[in-house]
Amino acid sequence: MSVLVVTGASAGIGAATALLAAERGWDVAISYKANAAGAEKVAAGVRAAGRRALAMRADAANEAETVAFFARVDAELGSLDGLVNNAGITGPAHRIDDVTGAMLTELFAINITGTFLATREAIKRMAKDRGGKGGVIVNVSSRAAEIGGGGTWVHYAASKGAVDSATIGAARELAPRGIRVNAVAPGPIETEIHAKAGVGDRLAQLAAVVPMGRAGTVDEVARAILFLLSEESSYITGAVLPIGGGR
Ligand code: NAD
């Protein structure tokens, strides 16, 4: 029996990942910030697949809430085997001229601090030199990290560039301790994240510059995450896998 944490899994890529993980035999704990109904629906889906589920409100950017979430996973699901750092926001679309300090603080707190805090909690439980049995971590980055987001998302792209650096560094730090760390870097994927940023029509525009001519689906990202969580990728660590239809 394997236990997986997926952060920010009340909707979108995180929800699809939690549901596919349950189909593949994982018990799944999900965190969310505001969408309790979405999180409970995902937990019900995990249970319908015959696995155990836990949904808890825990802001990825909040250290105390993250610590409490992992403690509850220990108590209710048992020893941890995997973590997907999925919780993330883009912030509103802006040129750099219009970026505010408050926006940057919130963005980096969720996308970077959140990834570090959850990774730290997972290491405490999974690292072999801390009494764990090893494990696997998958970070959700973005193709924006390489493309740069000029004109709309430089702030977001920079936060995901930091996720890539953290992935590579953590992979090297944790390989001798029994933990693999990889990232997926999705291109435009059909979720609500674009509308939340005030650019709901952006997917159609982006699809035009994707060589495959379309946006991706949450299931296409979830399948790649499940590959990186599985023994099928047993010699892969420190990789950032583009899922961008060729872009
Ligand atoms: P979404 O807005 O549909 O879902 C985001 C999820 O994160 C939600 O479940 C939300 O509740 C959660 N979340 C947000 N802030 C949180 C916080 N502070 N604490 C806990 N949970 C929080 O977006 P999505 O498209 O599914 O995005 C998931 C991840 O994929 C993000 O890291 C995003 O940057 C990344 N991504 C998305 C795309 C895309 O085109 N959709 C492309 C590249 C990368």
Side-chain angles (χ1 to χ4, degrees), residues 132-192:
K133 53 188 190 297
V136 58
I137 298 173
V138 179
N139 295 326
V140 181
S141 178
S142 171
R143 288 297 295 140
E146 258 185 51
I147 295 166
T152 43
W153 309 107
V154 177
H155 45 296
Y156 172 69
S159 78
K160 293 299 189 178
V163 168
D164 289 358
S165 294
T167 300
I168 294 162
R172 290 176 180 166
E173 183 170 311
L174 295 170
R177 304 166 69 189
I179 300 174
R180 292 188 299 114
V181 187
N182 292 292
V184 293
I189 306 298
E190 292 163 1
T191 73
E192 292 300 312

Side-chain angles (χ1 to χ4, degrees), residues 142-144 147 184-189 206-207 209-217 220-221 224 240-247:
S142 171
R143 288 297 295 140
I147 295 166
V184 293
I189 306 298
L206 275 177
V209 296
V210 170
M212 287 179 70
R214 64 174 177 86
T217 68
E220 287 174 315
V221 181
V240 179
L241 178 64
I243 311 174
R247 186 165 188 255

Side-chain angles (χ1 to χ4, degrees), residues 10 31-39 56-59:
S10 57
S31 64
Y32 63 94
K33 184 173 179 188
N35 183 0
M56 180 172 154
R57 207 205 83 81
D59 183 340

